[in-house]
Amino acid sequence: MADLNDMAWWQRTIACEVYPKSFLDMAGQGTGTIAGITAKLDYLQKLGIGAMWITPCYKSPMVDNGYDVQDYYAIDPSFGTMADMDELIACGKKRGIRIVMDLVFNHTSEECSWFVESKTSRDNSKADWYIWRDAREDGSAPTNWRSIFGGSAWEWCEERGQYYLHTFAKQQPDLNWECPEVRKALFDIANWWADKGVGGFRIDAITYIKKPPVFEDGPADGEDGLYPVHAATANTPGILDFLHEFKTAVRDGRDIFMVGEANGVAAEELDKWVGENGVFDMLFEFSHTHVPMGAAEIWCRPVTWKLTDLKRALAASQAATVSNGWYPAFFENHDQPRSTVNFFRCEGPLAEKAKVLGVVLLTTRGTPFIYQGEELGYGNAEWKSIDEFDDVQTKAQFDFAKGEGLSDAEALAACVRFSRDNARTPMQWDASEAAGFSTAKPWLPVHDDYVTCNVAAQEADPDSVLAWYRSLAKLRLGNDVFLAGDWHELMADDEQVMAFERTLGDVRAVTLANFSDEPVTYDADLVEGLELLAGSMGDATTGELRPLEAVVWG
Ligand code: GLC
């Protein structure tokens, strides 16, 4: 049992993720600004938010919306200025909301001055800062690795006469962490931001920083003859040495947290990554999001899944972090389709589905991360053609899917279902044009449903998803059992209901969420002696759940 008094501030709070480009535009330009985030701190405060991860807003050519950093010490002019960022940090602090910066340390933009120099020759001062290799004898790429966004992970550089490795887009060359100067430069950046008073860091794509000692071809798994770079390089032995160095240089002695984005770390390995002996405070691992999407690179192949698959993944992550570390609970982020579509196999109103997920997110053990708009319960957007998408990955995935033999229509359907742009449509503030996001044409189309599904409308409706989120946030923050209590799964084999109990001393709370569109019954003894703390449909009957009903008893 955790002791509330021993818990860090970030374990006792609710976190959110903001995608600045789509949050609120205060400059009338069609893309969001940092001042727009500052303007909405009250809104976030009402949601119980104490930590806000904002995706990268450093100077960037924006090939991957900021995940291609040109200058880590500058704010991209499209987002505003460093003064705007300082203001956000200061105003956030006043409201008890600490800012969490996104550190993109596996790669930079090709326009970063480090790469600009590195590519000029084999003997400049940054010659070893990236992963350079000679071509094979026939001039082809050094290995058959496929980048995460599709196509070869190698790009030929005429100037230097060598290939460089890019785990993501070709405009995002991978840094060489073996080079001590690279590590020092990165740790300096993190310390510079920590000194500004941010509350923590989310560290991007961290499992890829260590490359294997020998680069070899792997067995092709797609029609393109390529082998996933993820399989070749993720979580390479020795990676934790780099990360311990990082922790010592940046995290130690500061009241901040570090959450790593760690695709490729299994629940069983978590104890080496988080907690006392680990390197991070929390780790975003993706075992549960892989359930509906499939973990494989061949993402467009259909996946069949059951609720118990999702439950097992979540339970395994809970189990892995019980004795060690802490769990960041999430169903959405800027790389995932909307959860109301992703995690349900049945029909039914999106608002009810959003409430089902909301109850799990806000009563589970760990720090919940709410992604912007999740608290309103949107679905995916209504994409009609591949040209409407902006995302570099979606466009590459469309081509990849066609290479796998899918027709145009099938490839589009796969993108509509899974595209990251589903999470990136502008935040829906009100029913005015462009959903109150901007006075200019938004960079991505606003979701069709914004006229009814928006913050202003939901603030006026006590039964809205937003009202549900706010009341759950109050419930969580006002009851230690949700913050510090143990977590035990209930009804583990049930294919319709996700259920768990939280216990702290003799206090007990039970969450039951019906993920199906059918009424279900459960053993009423599970909630014997407890009172209804929250019901997504108002009242509730013990032993019964209506379709897509979620309840908390305690
Ligand atoms: C992470 C980010 C994603 C980005 C990628 C490359 O997965 O979340 O948005 O495209 O890293 O930086």
Side-chain angles (χ1 to χ4, degrees), residues 307 356 359-360 496-499 511-515 545 549-551:
L307 186 67
V356 164
V359 97
V360 175
Q496 290 167 299
V497 179
M498 189 180 286
T511 295
L512 295 139
N514 182 1
F515 276 68
L545 288 169
E549 180 176 13
V551 290

Side-chain angles (χ1 to χ4, degrees), residues 71-349:
D71 183 352
Y72 296 85
Y73 293 102
I75 296 298
D76 194 80
S78 68
F79 291 124
T81 61
M82 191 60 79
D84 293 339
M85 179 55 86
D86 292 338
E87 169 94 356
L88 173 61
I89 295 170
C91 292
K93 228 180 219 167
K94 272 189 217 141
R95 288 179 179 72
I97 301 178
R98 306 280 303 270
I99 306 303
V100 175
M101 295 299 281
D102 204 323
L103 297 178
V104 189
F105 279 180
N106 174 68
H107 46 267
T108 67
S109 159
E110 60 175 348
E111 292 183 30
C112 175
S113 62
W114 304 344
F115 187 72
V116 171
E117 183 178 349
S118 189
K119 73 178 182 184
T120 56
S121 68
R122 297 180 188 205
D123 56 9
N124 64 72
S125 76
K126 305 238 171 353
D128 294 334
W129 281 43
Y130 294 83
I131 316 281
W132 294 100
R133 289 289 185 281
D134 291 335
R136 296 194 227 215
E137 271 181 16
D138 64 358
S140 62
T143 65
N144 69 339
W145 299 347
R146 179 194 306 117
S147 79
I148 288 182
F149 291 168
S152 172
W154 295 97
E155 183 70 10
W156 176 250
C157 172
E158 197 58 53
E159 204 173 340
R160 174 152 162 163
Q162 279 188 308
Y163 280 93
Y164 65 85
L165 182 71
H166 57 91
T167 298
F168 296 90
K170 65 175 193 249
Q171 297 90 344
Q172 294 168 299
D174 278 40
L175 284 160
N176 178 16
W177 275 65
E178 303 295 335
C179 174
E181 293 88 33
V182 167
R183 303 203 297 277
K184 177 166 186 320
L186 296 175
F187 303 162
D188 284 351
I189 290 164
N191 276 318
W192 188 82
W193 279 99
D195 289 345
K196 270 188 179 290
V198 300
F201 296 112
R202 178 261 188 187
I203 297 110
D204 185 64
I206 199 64
T207 37
Y208 302 111
I209 59 168
K210 174 91 182 174
K211 314 301 186 220
V214 181
F215 286 12
E216 290 170 325
D217 281 354
D221 71 346
E223 296 299 319
D224 58 3
L226 300 178
Y227 176 66
V229 68
H230 176 87
T233 68
N235 203 356
T236 296
I239 188 169
L240 289 164
D241 296 337
F242 284 158
L243 292 174
H244 276 291
E245 204 182 311
F246 183 15
K247 183 184 175 194
T248 309
V250 178
R251 164 77 177 81
D252 285 355
R254 294 187 191 269
D255 187 21
I256 61 171
F257 71 89
M258 299 214 299
V259 53
E261 186 206 25
N263 206 349
V265 176
E268 311 80 67
E269 300 169 286
L270 273 180
D271 59 343
K272 293 199 208 78
W273 284 78
V274 291
E276 298 261 301
N277 305 318
V279 285
F280 293 121
D281 300 292
M282 299 183 267
L283 211 62
F284 288 124
E285 41 93 14
F286 293 87
S287 47
H288 65 300
T289 61
H290 286 157
V291 170
M293 297 183 72
E297 305 301 308
I298 309 301
W299 61 280
C300 53
R301 290 186 187 148
V303 176
T304 49
W305 63 280
K306 305 189 296 299
L307 186 67
T308 45
D309 299 330
L310 180 63
K311 290 176 14 168
R312 267 181 211 127
L314 291 169
S317 303
Q318 282 292 347
T321 51
V322 162
S323 50
N324 212 342
W326 193 245
Y327 182 62
F330 75 99
F331 288 117
E332 290 191 8
N333 68 29
H334 65 287
D335 294 330
Q336 305 288 325
R338 288 293 179 177
S339 56
T340 46
V341 178
N342 212 15
F343 292 106
F344 290 88
R345 292 159 57 244
C346 65
E347 298 297 309

Side-chain angles (χ1 to χ4, degrees), residues 350-417:
L350 294 180
E352 290 179 8
K353 292 178 175 175
K355 288 182 179 180
V356 164
L357 286 168
V359 97
V360 175
L361 187 65
L362 289 166
T363 60
T364 200
R365 176 182 173 277
T367 299
F369 279 75
I370 302 172
Y371 177 70
Q372 68 182 48
E374 189 173 5
E375 74 281 13
L376 303 179
Y378 312 154
N380 284 344
E382 308 282 326
W383 310 100
K384 293 180 191 70
S385 103
I386 189 66
D387 301 330
E388 284 181 343
F389 292 96
D390 171 89
D391 176 27
V392 58
Q393 181 178 36
T394 305
K395 289 178 193 288
Q397 283 178 324
F398 181 75
D399 293 339
F400 180 79
K402 291 209 305 185
E404 285 295 299
L406 272 68
S407 68
D408 274 24
E410 287 165 340
L412 178 63
C415 292
V416 168
R417 167 72 179 81

Side-chain angles (χ1 to χ4, degrees), residues 513-527:
N514 182 1
F515 276 68
S516 82
D517 57 359
E518 290 165 9
V520 292
T521 55
Y522 64 91
D523 181 356
D525 287 352
L526 288 179
V527 298

